[in-house]
Amino acid sequence: QKEVEQNSGPLSVPEGAIASLNCTYSDRGSQSFFWYRQYSGKSPELIMSIYSNGDKEDGRFTAQLNKASQYVSLLIRDSQPSDSATYLCAVIGGKLIFGQGTELSVKP
Amino acid sequence: DAGITQSPRHKVTETGTPVTLRCHQTENHRYMYWYRQDPGHGLRLIHYSYGVKDTDKGEVSDGYSVSRSKTEDFLLTLESATSSQTSVYFCAISDTGYGYTFGSGTRLTVV
């Protein structure tokens, strides 16, 4: 079993819709969780971090964490074409371990 | 990517030759990392450093070595390049070991 798993996509949503990206992890001791966005040909950039169960909101982005289910999600409200990118889930298990990423495409 | 620079940005090399990639930071961060990114595999940790002369292996360290003689520089060496090491290499830095900042990447092709 991979340590951090994501659906590779692509996930396609219309402009203005909510995009929902999901991630599961295997290490129950993990304490810190991150979402990175990576545009094609560019480096990953940190967009959200979450450390405790529940929701964390930052603008159009909401990160959700459920440690009992070992599940992290990222919601993007009012999706824009500029949100089209690959979203990487990452979990601290000693070191930062990344999922494979989910490709998101927002159609105008 | 302010504060972190990777060089070279692109390199083509022949199988069997040694190659060194450089990561330079101006943030005085303690932690530095080397990742490789390949289709279908995501980002995989090669080596990391938690201080000058303090380094450790990641999940895909075979065929790679690193050195950190100064806080600001972290070098990744492919001892004898193979075609399987064709990849995009990213350096990352962190002051806490949590949120990472990535460099622009080095695209390496081994022919």
Side-chain angles (χ1 to χ4, degrees):
Chain A
Q1 182 188 4
K2 292 181 180 177
E3 294 186 65
V4 181
E5 294 205 51
Q6 299 178 253
N7 290 326
S8 59
L11 173 66
S12 183
V13 301
E15 184 175 356
I18 296 175
S20 178
L21 305 162
N22 304 315
C23 172
T24 58
Y25 60 95
S26 59
D27 182 0
R28 282 197 170 274
S30 298
Q31 296 294 321
S32 304
F33 308 87
F34 306 87
W35 284 98
Y36 284 79
R37 177 177 62 200
Q38 186 175 25
Y39 292 113
S40 181
K42 301 296 185 181
S43 58
E45 57 176 326
L46 180 65
I47 56 172
M48 290 288 286
S49 59
I50 186 166
Y51 306 105
S52 55
N53 280 330
D55 295 359
K56 178 181 178 181
E57 187 174 316
D58 184 0
R60 296 187 294 113
F61 297 95
T62 299
Q64 300 175 317
L65 174 61
N66 183 327
K67 290 184 179 180
S69 300
Q70 296 175 245
Y71 178 90
V72 191
S73 65
L74 179 70
L75 302 178
I76 306 175
R77 292 182 300 281
D78 187 24
S79 294
Q80 300 297 310
S82 59
D83 294 325
S84 297
T86 297
Y87 289 81
L88 301 165
C89 174
V91 175
I92 290 281
K95 297 163 289 293
L96 198 60
I97 307 298
F98 286 85
Q100 291 186 347
T102 299
E103 183 183 351
L104 172 66
S105 177
V106 181
K107 304 296 186 184
Chain B
D1 301 298
I4 178 170
T5 305
Q6 290 185 235
S7 59
R9 291 296 309 276
H10 302 272
K11 185 170 182 65
V12 180
T13 192
E14 293 186 349
T15 298
T17 61
V19 177
T20 295
L21 308 183
R22 182 183 184 231
C23 179
H24 178 77
Q25 61 144 330
T26 58
E27 304 295 323
N28 201 35
H29 284 345
R30 176 183 178 186
Y31 300 93
M32 299 185 76
Y33 308 84
W34 277 107
Y35 284 86
R36 60 177 290 175
Q37 188 172 36
D38 306 287
H41 291 281
L43 282 158
R44 293 181 292 173
L45 182 64
I46 306 171
H47 281 281
Y48 66 101
S49 170
Y50 42 93
V52 173
K53 300 191 189 305
D54 291 324
T55 65
D56 207 348
K57 296 179 180 180
E59 62 181 306
V60 290
S61 60
D62 287 348
Y64 301 95
S65 62
V66 290
S67 66
R68 191 172 180 196
S69 58
K70 299 184 291 184
T71 298
E72 56 266 35
D73 289 325
F74 194 32
L75 303 180
L76 176 70
T77 297
L78 287 66
E79 295 144 6
S80 177
T82 68
S83 59
S84 65
Q85 294 176 311
T86 292
S87 186
V88 179
Y89 291 85
F90 286 103
C91 176
I93 61 174
S94 174
D95 55 351
T96 61
Y98 289 87
Y100 292 14
T101 300
F102 283 83
S104 299
T106 293
R107 185 173 295 277
L108 177 69
T109 303
V110 183
V111 299

